[in-house]
Amino acid sequence: MIVRSLGDLIGSDRHTRAENWESRRFLLAKDGMGFSMHDTLIYAGTETVMWYKHHLEAVYCIEGSGEIQVLPDGPVRAIRAGTLYALDGHERHRLRAHETMRMICVFNPPCRGNEVHGPDGAYPPPSDLPEGEPPQSPVDRA
Ligand code: 9YT
């Protein structure tokens, strides 16, 4: 069983920061679950274009508000606490945060570490990244 708290992740190698967001990665590929799970903040006033060509992503908003649009011309859909979206077709999309949004993000295949978006808005395919070290601490994983 794995037990982790958000406080364990802050400032650790499971805490990845980008210009518009930060991602606290509770579960990664090395945890062996077959998906990764992140607690992500999308900063108020930002607009981010993303395109997860190599991953499926589901996102559940638990705080804040914003909107999402599948590009180039999909309908603009409101996001607020209690809204989920799932990119089941690897859709290129734009996320706008009216307020800072706290999102629980699940990736399949799992992220491996400190992925950030490339110029195309994608994370690299898992085959391009090292596997990552297995969990070391018996406290971390028991
Ligand atoms: C909602 C979204 O995709 N935000 C970008 C960060 C990403 N989800 C992550 O790695 O946590």
Side-chain angles (χ1 to χ4, degrees):
M1 186 174 76
I2 300 168
V3 178
R4 290 188 182 115
S5 300
L6 185 59
D8 300 335
L9 310 184
I10 304 294
S12 78
D13 60 356
R14 290 174 177 271
H15 189 174
T16 298
R17 298 168 191 270
E19 187 177 349
N20 292 352
W21 52 266
E22 61 186 279
S23 176
R24 293 78 62 95
R25 295 179 169 166
F26 274 100
L27 294 171
L28 288 166
K30 62 188 175 184
D31 296 309
M33 296 292 289
F35 57 86
S36 61
M37 178 177 283
H38 316 172
D39 181 327
T40 297
L41 300 174
I42 312 282
Y43 303 141
T46 60
E47 176 175 308
T48 310
V49 173
M50 294 171 270
W51 191 8
Y52 294 119
K53 300 175 196 177
H54 313 293
H55 300 81
L56 297 170
E57 186 197 25
V59 179
Y60 183 56
C61 178
I62 58 172
E63 292 175 15
S65 66
E67 60 187 42
I68 187 169
Q69 181 180 29
V70 169
L71 297 174
D73 55 6
V76 175
R77 303 289 300 271
I79 309 271
R80 58 180 68 90
T83 307
L84 173 134
Y85 65 86
L87 298 159
D88 58 340
H90 303 278
E91 295 92 339
R92 187 164 175 265
H93 59 288
R94 179 192 293 121
L95 190 60
R96 289 194 176 105
H98 303 319
E99 305 170 295
T100 292
M101 292 190 286
R102 187 173 176 202
M103 321 284 248
I104 305 303
C105 308
V106 175
F107 280 82
N108 169 24
C111 289
R112 295 197 170 196
N114 291 321
E115 285 97 332
V116 292
H117 301 119
D120 57 356
Y123 286 167
S127 55
D128 284 4
L129 295 164
E131 182 60 57
E133 296 300 315
Q136 296 295 314
S137 162
V139 175
D140 197 38
R141 184 175 188 131

